[in-house]
Amino acid sequence: MEITKQHAGEFTELIVKGRLDAYWADLLTTALEEVIRGGAHYDRLNLADVTYISSMGIRVLLRFYKNCTGFMAFSWYRTRPSQ
């Protein structure tokens, strides 16, 4: 798995590539925690290049979504924007 952080205006975007399974779940957890601790209020998680998500990967995504609801705008998507 590869995780890249980009800043675009007021957004912080994490771009995730590869497999999101139990082996890589801790890496994504750490990256998400760093973004939240960084104080950004608008965050995006780009999953367009994730080829597989296990139940452990879904658990990580849902945990952070639930924890962020209410105090920050956090979105995640798996679409490819038009070029």
Side-chain angles (χ1 to χ4, degrees):
M1 175 187 289
E2 177 185 337
I3 301 175
T4 308
K5 186 190 313 186
Q6 289 184 349
H7 298 283
E10 58 187 13
F11 288 95
T12 299
E13 181 175 29
L14 286 181
I15 302 167
V16 182
K17 296 178 181 179
R19 294 174 56 91
L20 177 50
D21 54 21
Y23 184 81
W24 295 107
D26 287 340
L27 180 66
L28 181 60
T29 298
T30 301
L32 288 168
E33 287 172 347
E34 288 175 5
V35 167
I36 291 169
R37 278 195 306 267
H41 293 287
Y42 302 100
D43 299 312
R44 291 188 287 206
L45 182 60
N46 182 339
L47 302 173
D49 292 318
V50 172
T51 57
Y52 172 80
I53 302 177
S54 72
S55 59
M56 181 62 110
I58 292 171
R59 180 178 177 219
V60 169
L61 295 174
L62 289 176
R63 187 177 112 215
F64 278 94
Y65 179 78
K66 288 178 182 179
N67 288 342
C68 293
T69 303
F71 74 90
M72 66 187 292
F74 189 87
S75 62
W76 44 305
Y77 58 95
R78 188 172 160 59
T79 59
R80 296 194 184 278
S82 24
Q83 306 272 357

